[in-house]
Amino acid sequence: MEMHIIQWVRIHFFGFFLFTGASAYTDFEYNLITSLLEQYDINSRPVTNISDAIEVKLGLALNQIIEMDERNQILVTSVWFRLRWTDAHLTWNESDYGGVKSIILGTERIWRPDITLYNDVREEYVEPTAYNTIIQSSGAINWNYPTILRSYCKLDLRYFPFDQHACDLKFGSWTYDGVKLDLTNMSTSGDTSSFVVNGGWLLTSMPVKRNVVYYGCCPEPFPDVTFTIVIRRLSLYHMFNLVLPSIIIIGVSVLAFYLPPESGEKVSLGVTVLLTVTVFLLLVAENMPSQSEVIPLIGQYFMAAITIMSLSTTMTVVVLNMHFRGSYRNQVPEWLKKVVFGGLARIVCMRTIVLNNTTMDTEKEQVEPAICKKWESEINGTHPNKTNTIKKNDKTETNQLLEQILSVMRDSQSHAKKTDSEEQCRTEWQLVAMVVDRVLLLLFAVITVTVSITILTSSPPYT
């Protein structure tokens, strides 16, 4: 029983001691804050000598790239500010205040540097007064707070979608010049240890540089600390959704030369593909800033594709004109026969097809049927097996009938020759169109592959 009483007394005595010590510490902290702020002026620079410059160290931790507004060239980032300076008016002796080493005060109660983002594009600026500062007994102040920045970033879209950009975050005092406030960087690079990976951009580096600039308004120097966020675009999205479909569509447009002219869809296929690539180009242009400095790499590719398909459609019209030109009884010029049948047909391995459907000999001997010659000799009385007993003017009814039959046969023969000539003309023009079609197929296939490889493999200088 006595042991329980002794344990109960110890517990309550220890609890009373803790409560008394905490209350005393709170009183010391309250008295310290009251003493420090009793005659404190938040508008006065906290230096012992008015001619001295207060040194402010700036650090920045990049937490996340929220958005890259490419059309307006605005970078939205989530960052953590780290500011360090020494306030000569906020120092104390720890032993006088129960060993209090540090206190926490709101920023609205003390002097703070007016560090401003020079290339800020926010419509409204909200001061981060909700975040307190930590003040050490030596007067050293740590002020850490998160914020979201909207800054202007000059984009170089020459190699889009394989582009890389360097976006500057330029910080400096808006009121104090370098004589009154010396702004320096805490480290040689920004802190990226807590960076959240972005699906569209790869963070390459974040160097820091201190600059001293003289502006036209004032003769004093103005130091600034510039953090450069170097980011590279991850091109998988654009390659899969824009470039790859365009390559497939352009390949389909080249196959229009393999489509038979009788199908009637050669021109419509080329026009449809041309409109499709134009739509892709418009989709890219909607996200690009309105600038005339450079033409993006993907824009060059789409323009080259549109040019190739426009020429392809034009040549398709020429081929169709050749194919149906024989219907108007226009003979194929001899020079065109030599070029197409003699040269181009060999290149595209169509020489055998040409020889099987036409003849290169233009001087064909036209032989009349033997029966016609026989009947004509009988009518004229010159048949070798018959005596010439009939006078030339005495024609019998048989001779008259034979003359009528011979006239009909000659008309039929003339019509057949004319039909064969027209058919041969159409065949020759169709063969010319077929050979030219095949040549254009190979030519545009080579051009398309060459242009695609040349443009899409153009290596940026930073890779």
Side-chain angles (χ1 to χ4, degrees):
M1 184 67 179
E2 293 180 356
M3 293 296 295
H4 289 289
I5 294 175
I6 295 173
Q7 186 177 4
W8 182 85
V9 171
R10 288 178 178 177
I11 293 174
H12 283 74
F13 178 79
F14 183 72
F16 176 77
F17 176 78
L18 290 177
F19 176 77
T20 305
S23 177
Y25 187 87
T26 304
D27 291 339
F28 282 128
E29 187 176 6
Y30 174 78
N31 294 333
L32 174 60
I33 294 175
T34 303
S35 174
L36 291 175
L37 299 181
E38 185 176 0
Q39 295 182 347
Y40 189 86
D41 185 5
I42 62 174
N43 297 317
S44 175
R45 285 189 309 119
V47 292
T48 55
N49 189 345
I50 194 64
S51 61
D52 294 339
I54 181 171
E55 183 181 4
V56 178
K57 294 183 178 181
L58 174 62
L60 195 69
L62 181 61
N63 181 38
Q64 186 180 2
I65 297 176
I66 299 177
E67 181 186 3
M68 170 61 85
D69 187 353
E70 299 175 37
R71 188 165 186 83
N72 297 313
Q73 303 189 70
I74 296 176
L75 176 65
V76 183
T77 54
S78 172
V79 300
W80 298 341
F81 269 99
R82 296 168 181 171
L83 287 171
R84 306 286 186 268
W85 73 92
T86 300
D87 193 324
H89 300 160
L90 296 178
T91 61
W92 69 90
N93 191 346
E94 298 178 5
S95 60
D96 295 339
Y97 295 94
V100 177
K101 296 181 179 180
S102 63
I103 58 176
I104 298 177
L105 288 179
T107 55
E108 72 280 356
R109 305 179 68 180
I110 64 173
W111 179 91
R112 62 184 185 273
D114 59 337
I115 303 302
T116 306
L117 177 62
Y118 284 0
N119 53 336
D120 190 4
V121 294
R122 285 180 292 184
E123 296 180 357
E124 296 181 359
Y125 177 73
V126 179
E127 293 190 12
T129 55
Y131 303 97
N132 298 326
T133 60
I134 302 175
I135 306 175
Q136 306 294 330
S137 60
S138 61
I141 298 178
N142 297 338
W143 187 22
N144 305 324
Y145 63 90
T147 187
I148 294 178
L149 302 178
R150 291 176 57 89
S151 58
Y152 173 76
C153 179
K154 178 65 175 177
L155 300 181
D156 183 7
L157 300 172
R158 183 187 307 273
Y159 296 101
F160 177 86
F162 311 105
D163 48 337
Q164 176 175 295
H165 306 287
C167 300
D168 293 336
L169 299 177
K170 185 178 180 179
F171 297 97
S173 174
W174 194 259
T175 306
Y176 299 102
D177 53 54
V179 178
K180 298 178 181 179
L181 189 149
D182 184 17
L183 181 63
T184 60
N185 49 295
M186 295 177 59
S187 59
T188 57
S189 63
D191 184 4
T192 59
S193 58
S194 302
F195 179 73
V196 179
V197 178
N198 187 279
W201 298 93
L202 174 66
L203 178 63
T204 302
S205 61
M206 191 178 175
V208 184
K209 184 180 180 181
R210 181 180 182 272
N211 306 296
V212 178
V213 183
Y214 290 86
Y215 295 97
C217 65
C218 315
E220 297 83 4
F222 282 83
D224 65 75
V225 174
T226 301
F227 294 83
T228 303
I229 302 176
V230 182
I231 53 177
R232 183 179 302 171
R233 188 190 305 273
L234 299 176
S235 59
L236 179 61
Y237 173 82
H238 297 88
M239 290 294 294
F240 188 78
N241 292 281
L242 290 177
V243 178
L244 185 59
S246 299
I247 293 176
I248 296 175
I249 291 173
I250 295 172
V252 172
S253 69
V254 174
L255 292 179
F257 290 110
Y258 199 73
L259 194 66
E262 294 84 358
S263 63
E265 299 294 334
K266 291 174 71 70
V267 177
S268 59
L269 176 61
V271 173
T272 303
V273 174
L274 182 61
L275 293 177
T276 304
V277 177
T278 305
V279 171
F280 275 104
L281 181 59
L282 292 177
L283 292 176
V284 175
E286 286 181 358
N287 298 322
M288 295 294 101
S290 301
Q291 50 92 13
S292 302
E293 297 177 356
V294 295
I295 300 177
L297 190 65
I298 193 171
Q300 297 177 18
Y301 176 72
F302 282 132
M303 288 306 300
I306 291 175
T307 303
I308 291 174
M309 285 183 291
S310 299
L311 294 176
S312 172
T313 305
T314 303
M315 296 309 300
T316 300
V317 174
V318 174
V319 169
L320 289 176
N321 181 273
M322 290 181 178
H323 181 82
F324 295 102
R325 195 175 183 83
S327 302
Y328 302 99
R329 302 177 183 177
N330 295 321
Q331 298 293 329
V332 180
E334 291 300 325
W335 66 267
L336 186 58
K337 288 183 180 180
K338 293 180 180 179
V339 172
V340 176
F341 296 156
L344 297 180
R346 297 179 185 273
I347 297 176
V348 296
C349 303
M350 296 184 66
R351 180 65 174 172
T352 304
I353 299 176
V354 171
L355 294 177
N356 291 338
N357 289 274
T358 186
T359 175
M360 300 298 293
D361 186 9
T362 59
E363 296 180 356
K364 297 175 60 178
E365 182 180 358
Q366 303 295 331
V367 182
E368 294 181 340
I371 186 64
C372 295
K373 289 186 177 182
K374 179 179 178 182
W375 288 353
E376 185 177 0
S377 63
E378 290 182 354
I379 294 172
N380 296 330
T382 59
H383 196 276
N385 298 328
K386 185 176 181 181
T387 58
N388 191 9
T389 58
I390 304 176
K391 297 182 179 180
K392 294 182 179 179
N393 296 329
D394 297 335
K395 295 184 177 180
T396 63
E397 295 180 359
T398 303
N399 290 341
Q400 294 178 354
L401 180 60
L402 290 176
E403 285 183 354
Q404 293 177 359
I405 296 174
L406 183 59
S407 176
V408 172
M409 293 186 67
R410 285 176 175 173
D411 292 340
S412 177
Q413 181 185 5
S414 176
H415 179 72
K417 289 180 180 180
K418 183 178 180 181
T419 303
D420 292 342
S421 177
E422 293 177 354
E423 183 65 26
Q424 182 182 359
C425 181
R426 284 194 295 267
T427 302
E428 288 180 350
W429 277 113
Q430 291 175 2
L431 288 173
V432 170
M434 185 184 301
V435 173
V436 173
D437 224 3
R438 188 64 56 85
V439 171
L440 292 176
L441 171 63
L442 297 178
L443 178 61
F444 276 90
V446 172
I447 293 176
T448 301
V449 173
T450 303
V451 170
S452 300
I453 294 177
T454 302
I455 295 179
L456 297 181
T457 57
S458 297
S459 178
Y462 40 78
T463 56

